Amino acid sequence: MSISSEHKPLGKQVTGSLHTLSPIVELNVGGEMYTTTLSTLKKHPGSKLAEMFTGQPKLRTDSEGRFFIDRPGTYFKYILEYLRSNQVPTQCIQDVYKEALFYDIEPLIKQLEDSPQIFGELVARKQFLARVPNYSENIELIIRIARAEAVASRRSSVIVCVVRTEEDAARCQDALNSLDMDKKSVVKFGPWKAAPSISDLLDCIQMDVEAKGYKVSFQPHVAEKGFRFKSHDFFYKFLFTWW
């Protein structure tokens, strides 16, 4: 005797065919409950979301028999609204974009990439940072140095050297040789061939460090009296506040 859908073992992967599934579908997405239709979920046949509900079931059910998707439920409402009415979200753009990528809903991905927020991040800022050598590695290095200096302290600082041109890079090296400090603790950015300025790069550094959960600010680094170069030409102090 076959087991009806209402009496399938709870929390198990569904083994029956979705062709017999009710056109009304109840979902548990990361703890958020949704009710929609099978046709809405399968609106874009090539998407990962449609594949979840096509052919052999690929989802488990929760204790109430709802199909469970282990993703942030808060943003699924925007995905669902798009599937229902083609309405592109105007809120939580970055987070909805991540979910659209996960569910592989190509039309929504393309429309979100045309939004100012995603366009600015992917086309403008990320393309600029791709031209700054070792940018991501240097962000991680800044954080490691700051954490190492944080023992029994409320704040710690990291000196950053920023150079835009090859000529400035040579001058910066001369300046580093004159600094009375551990040169290994100075994180160097640049040079790069792109329009954004040094202040633009400093803003990017602050933005990406803060995106990792740290509270940080920066200011020109003032060297000791007698320093051969104007330190604010190249050097900046990033200040981490821990508590």
Side-chain angles (χ1 to χ4, degrees), residues 34 72-80 92 95-96 99:
Y34 294 94
T74 303
Y75 311 113
F76 189 74
K77 63 182 178 182
Y78 300 109
I79 299 292
L80 202 54
C92 308
D95 294 303
V96 176
E99 297 309 296

Side-chain angles (χ1 to χ4, degrees), residues 2-227:
S2 62
I3 300 175
S4 66
S5 59
E6 290 79 11
H7 296 88
K8 287 187 174 70
L10 300 180
K12 303 294 185 180
Q13 188 163 342
V14 183
T15 57
S17 171
L18 278 170
H19 294 300
T20 60
L21 187 67
S22 167
I24 307 300
V25 181
E26 291 188 349
L27 300 173
N28 177 345
V29 185
E32 298 281 341
M33 311 308 165
Y34 294 94
T35 302
T36 186
T37 66
L38 190 58
S39 60
T40 296
L41 296 170
K42 297 170 65 175
K43 184 174 182 180
H44 297 285
S47 69
K48 182 177 179 179
L49 183 62
E51 289 179 359
M52 291 177 181
F53 295 91
T54 301
Q56 281 296 112
K58 305 169 181 66
L59 295 172
R60 295 180 180 273
T61 56
D62 66 10
S63 61
E64 299 297 325
R66 292 173 293 232
F67 289 104
F68 179 71
I69 301 176
D70 194 13
R71 294 295 296 181
T74 303
Y75 311 113
F76 189 74
K77 63 182 178 182
Y78 300 109
I79 299 292
L80 202 54
E81 187 59 36
Y82 176 77
L83 295 175
R84 287 169 171 161
S85 61
N86 290 322
Q87 180 177 326
V88 179
T90 57
Q91 302 178 55
C92 308
I93 301 297
Q94 299 279 358
D95 294 303
V96 176
Y97 179 66
K98 292 177 185 177
E99 297 309 296
L101 289 173
F102 173 79
Y103 294 114
D104 195 22
I105 304 173
E106 193 64 31
L108 178 56
I109 292 171
K110 290 181 178 178
Q111 290 183 70
L112 287 174
E113 286 179 348
D114 283 337
S115 69
Q117 298 94 322
I118 303 298
F119 179 87
E121 177 68 16
L122 295 181
V123 177
R125 198 177 87 92
K126 287 256 178 99
Q127 288 297 315
F128 158 52
L129 296 179
R131 301 183 184 188
V132 180
N134 304 314
Y135 178 81
S136 297
E137 294 84 348
N138 282 342
I139 293 293
E140 296 299 330
L141 180 57
I142 287 174
I143 292 171
R144 286 202 302 271
I145 294 173
R147 290 175 68 93
E149 298 293 329
V151 179
S153 301
R154 183 173 185 183
R155 297 180 179 86
S156 59
S157 61
V158 181
I159 305 301
V160 169
C161 174
V162 183
V163 293
R164 187 174 176 184
T165 67
E166 294 289 351
E167 292 78 10
D168 284 345
R171 294 178 60 209
C172 177
Q173 189 57 50
D174 288 342
L176 275 172
N177 292 335
S178 302
L179 276 175
D180 184 20
M181 64 165 58
D182 182 2
K183 298 177 182 60
K184 293 181 180 178
S185 67
V186 178
V187 182
K188 179 185 173 185
F189 287 84
W192 63 86
K193 294 180 180 179
S197 65
I198 286 177
S199 63
D200 293 325
L201 181 64
L202 291 168
D203 288 339
C204 287
I205 296 171
Q206 181 180 20
M207 184 186 308
D208 289 329
V209 171
E210 288 181 338
K212 295 179 180 293
Y214 297 93
K215 184 178 180 180
V216 66
S217 60
F218 66 87
Q219 62 190 39
H221 174 59
V222 180
E224 296 78 7
K225 188 175 181 180
F227 188 57

